[in-house]
Amino acid sequence: MADEGKSEMTLPASDDHKKYNETRRTFLKQSSLLTAVALTPPGMLQIVELEEKVDEQFESVKVTLEINGETKELSVEPRETLLDLLRERLDLTGTKKGCDYGQCGACTVHVDGQRINACLAFVIMQEGKKITTIEGLSKGATLHPMQEAFMKHDGFQCGYCTPGQIMSAVACIQEGHANSKEEIREYMSGNLCRCGAYPNIVKAIEEVKNGGAKG
Amino acid sequence: MEKASLQQIQIGDPLNRVEGQLKVTGKAKYAAEYNLSGVTFGVMVTSTIAKGRIKSMDTKLAKKAPGVLAVITHKNAPEVPGYKAAVNNEGARVYGQEFRLFYDDQIHHNYQPIALVVADTLARANEAASMVKVQYEQETHHTDISRNLDQAIQPARPEDYSRGEEDAYLTAPVKVVHEYHTPIQVHNPMETHATTAVWEADNKITVYNKTQATKISQQEIMKAFDLKEENVQAHSPFVGGAFGSSSRLWPQEMAAILGAKVVGRPVQVVLKRDQVFNMVGYRPPSRQKVGIGASAEGKLIGITHEGYGITSRYEQFTERMMDPTKSMYHCPNLNAKYRLVPLDMSTPCWTRGPGETSGSFALESAMDELAYALNMDPLSLRMKNYADKDPENELPWSSNYLKECYKQGAERFGWQKRNPTPRSMRSGEWQVGMGMASGIYKAVRDRAVARAKLLSDGSVLVQSAVADVGPGSATIFTQIAADVMGTSIEKTRFEWGDSSLPHAPGQFGSHTTASVGSAVYDVCTALKQKIQELAVNQKGSSLQGAQATNVVFENASIRLKNGTTSLTYSDFLQQQQLPSLEVIKESDGGPLLEKYSGKSFCANFVEVRVHSVTGEVRVQRVVSAVDAGKIMNHKTAQSQVYGAVVWGIGIALMEEGLIDHRYGRHVNNDLAEYHVPVHADVPDIEVILIDKEDPVIDPMGAKGIGEIPLVGFTAAIANAVYHATGQRIRNLPITPAKLIS
Amino acid sequence: MKNFQYVRPTQQQAALETLAQDDKAMFIAGGTNLIDLMKRNVVLPEKLVDINRLPLRKIEPTSKGVRIGALASNSEVAEHPLIREKFPLLSQALISGASAQLRNMATVGGNMMQRTRCYYFYDAALPCNKRQPGSGCGALQGINSKHAIFGFSDKCIAVHPSDMCVALVALEATVLVTGPKGERQVPFKDFHRLPGEHPERDTNLEKNELILAVDIPASSFTQNVHYLKVRERASYAFALVSVAAALDLDKGTIRNARLAMGGVAHKPWRLMEAEKALVGKPVSEETFQQTAALAMQGAKAFEHNAYKLKLAPNAITQALKTAAGLS
């Protein structure tokens, strides 16, 4: 373990983290048989944030990230996905769960400016990253031109895939993949819409690409 | 003059959706998004066999898992009074014994929910659910329609239909007879089924629910738990797509309600994507046989249509598979027979164009085959057999602009340029084909109630329990109210999606506009009348003594037709010393509807390209001409047609729920393997809305639009594929595998 | 999903050692397939070693060609000017796969390590030798429309789902790996395995080894290349069959050729015999059809995938024609 001191461990830093890791390993093997609090390392409970609704964090680790411009210090289970964090703990339910397996695009958010599927991202792996969700897209009361264009062109029906479509559409233009209808359709194909609003979504993207939505 | 008056809204205007801003900003709350204080998370454990009984279930480990609050099974579930009541099929939409959650140890189908694990976080509930160990006593199951056709039963309803001579097609000079197959298709709305249940008191519950019918949801919960109407509230303003799949009470609702009862906290249950395939409805597969005979000139002589669907062992779910056949064409001799094969599956449920979609694939494919047998243009064949009245019952149409659909659709599409010979058109390596089909779908109206309130600021509030799962109903009802009341959109508000609001039927069957729209229209008309009555009787009012016919409502005010002075609604209320003025009105179609046959119509024209080497099919162009009566909102109506066309592309080319019958279990039950169309599958779609008033069905002149464009659409694609390749695919979906073999 | 321990080393050695400490530890990079499998309880790691902070993201020219770091994302590679110019076949293959979002997340190393999409592998209620050795192959007598026609065994008939790997095997890439015994180079065609008796093993990566990079040798396959992916849905779908075709042409004659298929075997299926047969032949549809026939020797279908016996040669012919500019 000579080099492990150079590892950026996300568990609480301590001199005897080696021992700590071993304890945790044993712990993990037993965890299903034991209650959580008893073996949770001291100090863990204090990390809990006010906005969390669960007051005892099993296997929690600390993470700091920026969500919609706000720095968040959170303690999360390693298995917690960005999608579940947003929806179940931060009340940012604009990011939708459609499949939970990266097969529909409803959970599309931007991480450091790139569109990704939040259902396939562990929160703990986003340490230090900037996350933008649909709630952070508009500037105050002023909607993003893509949001305006979706309304004008009726780019949705039930509205459930819509935040994902919009986040994806904004990225699609930024990436330079909105130069023709065909290209838009190809690069938006990771966002399913079961209502079939596709033709209107394409119109909305074309309009924003060509200078923004008006009216 | 008020600024708002510039934005006077009328029926038909392409108004943006009233809830649009909530949807594009992520603020619209769906059933699992209320994040109620103290909410807990329920995850269902589902069976891994198709038939048998639970021998034992070990929940010890799950119960001890961190954060777990309860594990509910048939052994410990709270009693559901309604489950013990005798089955009453009188008026029930589905005949038989409904599925009873956690009722006993019997397994009726794979993926049957057998336990609910409730925990304080979703991750913990998920993990604990995987710790429940189950042992089964398996019995032989049957899940394959093809191998069990001999087990088919005649359903309790509907009855077989016939007119004229039976199997008359056999005697016709030109005839075709073929079998057509359609597979299981699954609604797969983007939001999976979800419910958050809260017991407000021992006998009072609120469910934040995914439902197309808040009143049905409320009534079914009342029945199940023996509760009073005022103690059950179903709240469902936003629904992430449904397409028929949220029109009855399902296990996730019952599980959330039972879970909340046990843990004494709100419980949220969201189905996983794999769980929606065989638990909360699906479009049953069909096996159909159609025989059509015609004279050499192309006049239809006889049609015989036999169809098989499937159902569960505990209920008879029936579809309207034969309906298009009965009414589409003038044909003196026709017999239609529909049978059900009970299998060890969950009960199917209504799926966009339930029955009509599968039935019209067979009928409209067969019509195309007949056209080739006659050496006749497929459009001409259909025009030649246009029905002047409904041949099913000899009633006059309430309105019928099918001929306009044919004419305008063909013109826009350029049907005349089509070379009638199959395999005659090409673009590089792509074979080009053009096909068309007709569609017919019931246009009916149900009882609905609406409340309208004139408020002190002169604005109008209209309320109905109706859901808006995406068609834009809330927008067009706002629009109808604004049009009738003469108010701006800003001064007109519509509230929907809650069972405590006035009664509305479920938002399905393309009858919401006619039913609820009429109630909105009628209640606003009644409110205006009340305003006028009060105003003309008010001493000192500029309107005193005015005749009803001489009064105009516009710009949120009332004035004499030729006068200049007007009284704003808010001044009116002040004059009357009223804080507000409210009217409730029930609307029903009345006896006139029974004297007519109400239907919507469409003609779909499709151009496909089939790759000559790989067999890939891409839809290149679509023209969909629709007679849905007067259009309430051109923007949302066009979107409805887009939706139906996208569904048609999916059903025709890719959707197929696959079951490994050895296990009676779906294998492609996720969105990577059950394909629904993506952006790249959908070309430009031209929509023609005939937009002519129907004088019978409702006061606005509307007919339904959500389903009609899908009827026949899959056949239009199959017909185009035949025209492109000379290959007739009678077994959906039309895949490269079938085309190159 | 079961909980797990999470470690994020910043140095390669630490990553390797952390992994080696625990039998049930796994590396995680993009996570697009692993997290999916963990959610379905198909893969149950007790420790995840997050390698994203290791410096393995570069795409750079080398004296022999290009080196692509194992952590370069699929979209970075696809869009990189060097790749687009010198290895357009790889670009095309990458862009045909998954969605824009997934390509942003997925890495080159992760793409190579992705598991099959066989239905039976993903459903813990059904038998699968790959998921649970000895439980049987569900697909053999089951629904096998998407399954292998080459190189299968009676233990497993699954196919490898990657598009990128089909291009890489055609381009004769080499995989640079490191592990307890130090670094080694693995020819791409030997990286993935056929199922044989051990379908649970997808690759020849040794225990506790880490993929560092992929080297692609410079070649003359920069112009006449085509990645053809056949699927029912027009995008965002795994291939029924795919073909990577690359030709080096001297006017109307084939100087050199590369050919590989996806969706037909447990590994990216390189067609070396067919490649050899193309050399010196004139560019013509006939040549390509003969090549396709040769490539199909030994193919065998199951109950539902007989269409691939026709689709695969058709696709080969088509891909070669497109690469040669004949279509």
Side-chain angles (χ1 to χ4, degrees):
Chain A
M1 298 264 310
D3 267 325
E4 209 185 335
K6 288 175 189 160
S7 294
E8 185 190 332
M9 303 294 292
T10 51
L11 305 170
S14 70
D15 293 331
D16 57 350
H17 65 259
K18 181 177 168 185
K19 187 174 144 213
Y20 174 71
N21 275 347
E22 280 165 6
T23 312
R24 287 175 62 82
R25 228 180 359 264
T26 318
F27 169 47
L28 268 161
K29 288 192 174 130
Q30 298 174 348
S31 60
S32 56
L33 304 171
L34 296 166
T35 57
V37 185
L39 276 176
T40 304
M44 290 303 288
L45 293 178
Q46 278 83 49
I47 298 167
V48 174
E49 295 282 306
L50 282 177
E51 63 232 277
E52 295 172 25
K53 57 193 162 206
V54 183
D55 57 5
E56 50 163 73
Q57 284 298 300
F58 175 75
E59 283 294 302
S60 290
V61 284
K62 252 182 111 169
V63 61
T64 304
L65 35 80
E66 193 185 303
I67 299 178
N68 298 332
E70 245 181 84
T71 302
K72 300 267 180 193
E73 282 185 40
L74 302 160
S75 65
V76 297
E77 290 185 329
R79 66 182 167 187
E80 189 160 357
T81 61
L82 181 56
L83 178 59
D84 287 344
L85 171 81
L86 294 171
R87 286 176 65 78
E88 312 300 355
R89 289 174 65 194
L90 303 181
D91 202 24
L92 293 171
T93 53
T95 306
K96 305 300 183 192
K97 185 181 282 188
C99 70
D100 216 19
Y101 301 138
Q103 302 169 347
C104 78
C107 66
T108 303
V109 297
H110 297 175
V111 173
D112 289 345
Q114 287 203 310
R115 51 174 158 164
I116 64 135
N117 297 126
C119 71
L120 294 181
F122 287 131
V123 181
I124 192 68
M125 290 171 68
Q126 314 308 313
E127 172 72 37
K129 298 195 174 169
K130 287 192 169 77
I131 288 140
T132 307
T133 71
I134 188 74
E135 289 91 347
L137 192 63
S138 46
K139 300 276 173 273
T142 312
L143 297 185
H144 187 282
M146 192 64 77
Q147 292 171 313
E148 294 281 4
F150 265 63
M151 287 204 285
K152 176 180 164 189
H153 291 286
D154 212 30
F156 52 88
Q157 293 176 32
C158 81
Y160 198 78
C161 75
T162 312
Q165 298 276 359
I166 291 174
M167 296 309 286
S168 203
V170 169
C172 186
I173 293 178
Q174 279 168 1
E175 290 163 8
H177 290 308
N179 299 306
S180 67
K181 275 187 181 176
E182 288 65 35
E183 192 182 24
I184 292 170
R185 286 175 185 145
E186 174 58 36
Y187 279 84
M188 286 297 292
S189 280
N191 290 82
L192 306 186
C193 170
R194 190 56 161 157
C195 296
Y198 295 134
N200 287 339
I201 294 171
V202 173
K203 285 178 213 163
I205 296 173
E206 280 188 304
E207 181 169 280
V208 176
K209 168 73 173 37
N210 297 328
K214 303 231 161 47
Chain B
M1 189 186 270
E2 280 182 64
K3 179 173 165 269
S5 65
L6 298 170
Q7 290 160 2
Q8 176 59 54
I9 290 299
Q10 289 182 346
I11 288 175
D13 287 350
L15 188 70
N16 290 353
R17 285 173 199 256
V18 293
E19 80 292 7
Q21 183 148 343
L22 290 175
K23 286 179 174 172
V24 301
T25 54
K27 294 199 177 87
K29 292 273 181 201
Y30 297 79
E33 299 180 344
Y34 287 86
N35 279 316
L36 305 172
S37 160
V39 73
T40 62
F41 299 82
V43 170
M44 298 239 247
V45 180
T46 53
S47 80
T48 55
I49 65 163
K51 187 181 176 137
R53 56 174 285 271
I54 299 165
K55 209 156 67 181
S56 70
M57 216 184 318
D58 183 353
T59 59
K60 281 198 285 293
L61 219 54
K63 277 180 182 154
K64 279 187 196 159
V68 171
L69 301 166
V71 181
I72 301 164
T73 70
H74 68 279
K75 296 264 195 196
N76 64 355
E79 190 171 294
V80 178
Y83 285 172
K84 296 204 162 160
V87 175
N88 180 6
N89 281 308
E90 193 66 37
R93 291 179 302 148
V94 179
Y95 187 95
Q97 167 67 61
E98 70 188 312
F99 172 74
R100 291 174 290 187
L101 184 73
F102 309 147
Y103 183 72
D104 56 23
D105 61 1
Q106 295 300 304
I107 300 297
H108 304 279
H109 63 88
N110 224 315
Y111 272 96
Q112 176 182 318
I114 52 175
L116 179 78
V117 176
V118 185
D120 57 358
T121 73
L122 182 57
R124 286 168 162 190
N126 262 321
E127 182 181 16
S130 71
M131 295 174 176
V132 174
K133 299 292 169 231
V134 191
Q135 285 197 303
Y136 300 99
E137 207 171 272
Q138 250 181 290
E139 289 169 44
T140 309
H141 62 260
H142 300 279
T143 53
D144 187 353
I145 181 175
S146 293
R147 288 168 185 263
N148 290 280
L149 292 174
D150 58 347
Q151 303 294 310
I153 56 163
Q154 176 158 14
R157 50 185 192 242
E159 290 175 6
D160 292 347
Y161 171 84
S162 70
R163 64 176 180 252
E165 280 179 42
E166 187 149 329
D167 292 339
Y169 80 94
L170 289 169
T171 64
V174 181
K175 57 182 176 281
V176 292
V177 56
H178 291 290
E179 282 190 28
Y180 302 87
H181 293 188
T182 62
I184 287 175
Q185 292 138 14
V186 185
H187 312 78
N188 271 315
M190 295 312 299
E191 177 198 32
T192 57
H193 290 64
T195 303
T196 310
V198 191
W199 285 92
E200 316 278 359
D202 279 351
N203 61 355
K204 192 170 190 303
I205 188 158
T206 304
V207 288
Y208 301 83
N209 205 9
K210 179 184 174 77
T211 181
Q212 293 167 255
T214 60
K215 292 305 283 185
I216 290 174
S217 192
Q218 178 193 43
Q219 282 146 23
E220 292 190 349
I221 293 168
M222 282 161 53
K223 201 177 101 201
F225 292 93
D226 201 9
L227 298 172
K228 291 185 185 148
E229 182 165 359
E230 61 267 30
N231 284 351
V232 178
Q233 188 180 359
H235 186 65
S236 186
F238 294 103
V239 173
F243 315 108
S245 73
S246 292
S247 43
R248 61 182 302 193
L249 203 64
W250 288 124
Q252 99 280 349
E253 284 141 307
M254 290 301 290
I257 294 169
L258 291 173
K261 185 127 226 170
V262 171
V263 302
R265 287 163 66 176
V267 172
Q268 180 173 308
V269 178
V270 181
L271 294 192
K272 294 171 192 293
R273 182 54 65 182
D274 60 338
Q275 293 178 330
V276 308
F277 281 70
N278 192 12
M279 186 197 301
V280 289
Y282 53 90
R283 192 196 299 277
S286 76
R287 297 290 177 267
Q288 302 179 59
K289 184 175 155 187
V290 178
I292 309 186
S295 70
E297 297 74 41
K299 284 298 269 183
L300 294 183
I301 290 171
I303 302 179
T304 297
H305 190 170
E306 293 170 9
Y308 293 81
I310 69 162
T311 191
S312 62
R313 300 269 185 209
Y314 46 93
E315 286 178 313
Q316 290 182 10
F317 171 78
T318 55
E319 291 193 303
R320 301 182 294 262
M321 197 188 286
M322 299 296 138
D323 278 21
T325 304
K326 291 178 202 168
S327 299
M328 188 78 242
Y329 299 109
H330 177 80
C331 180
N333 306 295
L334 191 146
N335 46 298
K337 191 176 90 175
Y338 172 67
R339 294 291 179 268
L340 280 181
V341 181
L343 295 173
D344 299 303
M345 296 276 291
S346 62
T347 307
C349 88
W350 305 274
T351 313
R352 201 169 195 167
E356 291 90 349
T357 300
S358 304
S360 64
F361 167 67
L363 174 70
E364 289 297 292
S365 293
M367 282 294 283
D368 201 62
E369 303 206 47
L370 179 67
Y372 283 101
L374 287 159
N375 197 19
M376 191 172 174
D377 174 71
L379 176 58
S380 306
L381 173 65
R382 286 171 173 87
M383 300 206 348
K384 187 158 206 159
N385 291 286
Y386 173 83
D388 286 316
K389 55 191 171 187
D390 187 343
E392 180 183 359
N393 46 31
E394 300 287 310
L395 292 174
W397 304 114
S398 62
S399 63
N400 182 340
Y401 296 96
L402 178 59
K403 283 180 177 167
E404 280 294 300
C405 294
Y406 287 145
K407 186 169 167 287
Q408 292 189 31
E411 267 173 30
R412 187 79 62 85
F413 185 79
W415 183 257
Q416 288 75 8
K417 291 181 204 145
R418 172 183 182 264
N419 182 334
T421 312
R423 296 175 63 87
S424 60
M425 300 171 77
R426 233 181 143 87
S427 168
E429 280 161 342
W430 295 85
Q431 297 172 301
V432 176
M434 297 180 180
M436 61 82 56
S438 324
I440 183 169
Y441 189 87
K442 70 189 170 76
V444 293
R445 174 173 165 189
D446 202 352
R447 183 182 79 89
V449 185
R451 179 190 293 129
K453 257 186 193 177
L454 186 63
L455 302 173
S456 61
D457 64 353
S459 68
V460 176
L461 171 66
V462 180
Q463 297 171 313
S464 160
V466 69
D468 186 354
V469 304
S473 304
T475 304
I476 63 173
F477 298 151
T478 310
Q479 215 164 336
I480 292 169
D483 187 333
V484 177
M485 293 303 302
T487 43
S488 69
I489 205 73
E490 292 81 2
K491 289 254 166 153
T492 316
R493 195 152 58 87
F494 182 72
E495 280 182 1
W496 74 96
D498 193 292
S499 62
S500 64
L501 299 173
H503 175 89
Q507 192 192 39
F508 41 64
S510 292
H511 75 329
T512 307
T513 298
S515 308
V516 182
S518 296
V520 171
Y521 187 96
D522 289 349
V523 79
C524 289
T525 306
L527 179 61
K528 273 200 322 196
Q529 197 178 348
K530 194 148 184 182
I531 293 168
Q532 181 241 321
E533 278 167 17
L534 291 170
V536 300
N537 290 324
Q538 175 75 31
K539 281 182 187 163
S541 160
S542 56
L543 298 159
Q544 192 185 351
Q547 295 294 309
T549 51
N550 203 23
V551 171
V552 180
F553 297 80
E554 61 183 22
N555 301 335
S557 30
I558 174 170
R559 67 167 174 85
L560 287 175
K561 203 169 264 175
N562 300 315
T564 47
T565 40
S566 67
L567 179 65
T568 66
Y569 288 163
S570 56
D571 288 347
F572 157 78
L573 284 175
Q574 228 165 20
Q575 253 185 21
Q576 299 289 329
Q577 296 182 320
L578 290 170
S580 63
L581 184 61
E582 176 179 317
V583 181
I584 292 186
K585 192 143 175 50
E586 176 174 328
S587 290
D588 213 336
L592 190 61
L593 262 72
E594 284 163 27
K595 297 193 175 117
Y596 291 89
S597 170
K599 308 280 182 189
S600 292
F601 299 91
C602 73
N604 283 305
F605 297 82
V606 176
E607 179 181 320
V608 300
R609 299 193 172 201
V610 183
H611 198 278
S612 53
V613 178
T614 66
E616 288 167 296
V617 185
R618 302 288 177 249
V619 177
Q620 192 71 15
R621 217 155 55 84
V622 173
V623 173
S624 186
V626 183
D627 165 21
K630 168 85 178 159
I631 296 304
M632 299 290 98
N633 177 323
H634 278 262
K635 189 177 285 193
T636 56
Q638 179 172 283
S639 290
Q640 282 292 288
V641 181
Y642 285 167
V645 166
V646 173
W647 268 64
I649 292 173
I651 294 168
L653 302 181
M654 60 192 84
E655 294 190 38
E656 180 172 23
L658 294 169
I659 293 177
D660 185 329
H661 295 298
R662 295 172 303 167
Y663 307 102
R665 191 166 170 92
H666 282 261
V667 291
N668 62 337
N669 48 6
D670 65 26
L671 293 175
E673 301 299 332
Y674 181 95
H675 287 167
V676 302
V678 296
H679 274 279
D681 290 300
V682 180
D684 286 339
I685 298 165
E686 286 192 70
V687 177
I688 298 168
L689 300 166
I690 301 299
D691 198 17
K692 295 255 174 68
E693 280 183 29
D694 182 292
V696 174
I697 295 169
D698 56 66
M700 301 84 65
K703 300 193 274 191
I705 196 167
E707 287 160 283
I708 177 61
L710 177 56
V711 182
F713 191 87
T714 55
I717 291 187
N719 298 342
V721 168
Y722 175 76
H723 181 236
T725 65
Q727 291 191 74
R728 178 67 64 180
I729 306 296
R730 303 186 184 95
N731 181 359
L732 293 181
I734 304 167
T735 58
K738 288 171 190 165
L739 283 168
I740 68 155
S741 298
Chain C
M1 188 190 295
K2 278 178 60 169
N3 227 332
F4 53 86
Q5 192 184 357
Y6 173 81
V7 188
R8 188 199 298 138
T10 52
Q11 295 198 355
Q12 197 173 298
Q13 198 52 36
L16 289 167
E17 283 174 15
T18 313
L19 187 81
Q21 281 165 24
D22 203 321
D23 244 14
K24 297 207 168 161
M26 293 178 80
F27 287 130
I28 184 166
T32 53
N33 191 207
L34 180 58
I35 296 176
D36 177 11
L37 292 166
M38 288 169 69
K39 285 184 181 187
R40 304 187 205 217
N41 294 317
V42 173
V43 177
L44 304 163
E46 291 189 356
K47 183 201 281 184
L48 286 186
V49 181
D50 177 356
I51 54 172
N52 283 292
R53 306 282 161 117
L54 304 187
L56 300 173
R57 200 169 282 274
K58 276 194 195 140
I59 303 165
E60 52 192 355
T62 60
S63 57
K64 291 177 189 159
V66 66
R67 170 164 288 189
I68 303 170
L71 289 172
S73 75
N74 285 190
S75 37
E76 282 164 357
V77 179
E79 307 269 341
H80 197 281
L82 184 63
I83 304 297
R84 283 163 64 154
E85 190 193 337
K86 304 280 188 197
F87 308 97
L89 184 64
L90 177 58
S91 241
Q92 287 179 20
L94 279 164
I95 287 167
S96 78
S99 67
Q101 290 95 315
L102 290 168
R103 293 194 294 267
N104 280 341
M105 306 172 81
T107 63
V108 167
N111 189 317
M112 290 160 60
M113 296 303 289
Q114 70 179 304
R115 312 298 305 269
T116 180
R117 305 302 303 191
C118 176
Y119 310 131
Y120 299 89
F121 179 67
Y122 278 78
D123 186 348
L126 299 176
C128 172
N129 287 323
K130 186 182 280 298
R131 187 187 66 246
Q132 199 184 343
S135 62
C137 172
L140 202 57
Q141 309 290 332
I143 297 181
N144 44 36
S145 47
K146 304 275 174 78
H147 289 72
I149 52 173
F150 290 111
F152 48 80
S153 73
D154 61 355
K155 297 283 188 293
C156 180
I157 62 171
V159 297
H160 195 261
S162 172
D163 294 298
M164 180 195 81
C165 294
V166 181
L168 286 176
V169 78
L171 293 168
E172 294 201 324
T174 309
V175 188
L176 177 65
V177 304
T178 186
K181 294 175 198 160
E183 290 189 5
R184 67 186 179 109
Q185 306 264 359
V186 185
F188 206 92
K189 68 177 174 49
D190 300 329
F191 184 83
H192 294 94
R193 291 164 49 95
L194 290 179
E197 291 298 303
H198 290 286
E200 71 278 10
R201 287 193 64 191
D202 290 347
T203 71
N204 286 315
L205 204 62
E206 299 286 337
K207 195 172 158 60
N208 300 326
E209 277 189 324
L210 173 68
I211 303 170
L212 296 177
V214 172
D215 287 304
I216 315 177
S219 68
S220 45
F221 302 112
T222 54
Q223 294 289 324
N224 295 105
V225 301
H226 188 61
Y227 188 75
L228 174 68
K229 184 171 181 179
V230 183
R231 43 194 163 173
E232 288 151 15
R233 184 157 84 175
S235 185
Y236 204 13
F238 294 96
L240 298 173
V241 162
S242 69
V243 178
L247 295 171
D248 178 10
L249 301 180
D250 179 12
K251 298 197 179 86
T253 306
I254 300 163
R255 198 155 37 199
N256 204 351
R258 296 287 174 70
L259 204 55
M261 266 197 283
V264 295
H266 195 261
K267 59 188 282 189
W269 196 245
R270 176 94 183 264
L271 298 161
M272 295 180 82
E273 291 299 314
E275 288 173 5
K276 274 185 219 151
L278 280 166
V279 174
K281 296 268 170 61
V283 168
S284 73
E285 180 152 3
E286 200 190 347
T287 301
F288 298 149
Q289 279 171 349
Q290 286 166 359
T291 306
L294 181 64
M296 290 304 292
Q297 283 182 6
K300 185 179 168 297
F302 295 90
E303 188 181 352
H304 304 116
N305 67 351
Y307 73 93
K308 287 193 181 182
L309 298 182
K310 190 156 179 210
L311 179 58
N314 282 7
I316 291 171
T317 308
Q318 181 65 22
L320 286 167
K321 275 173 71 181
T322 310
L326 286 189
S327 88

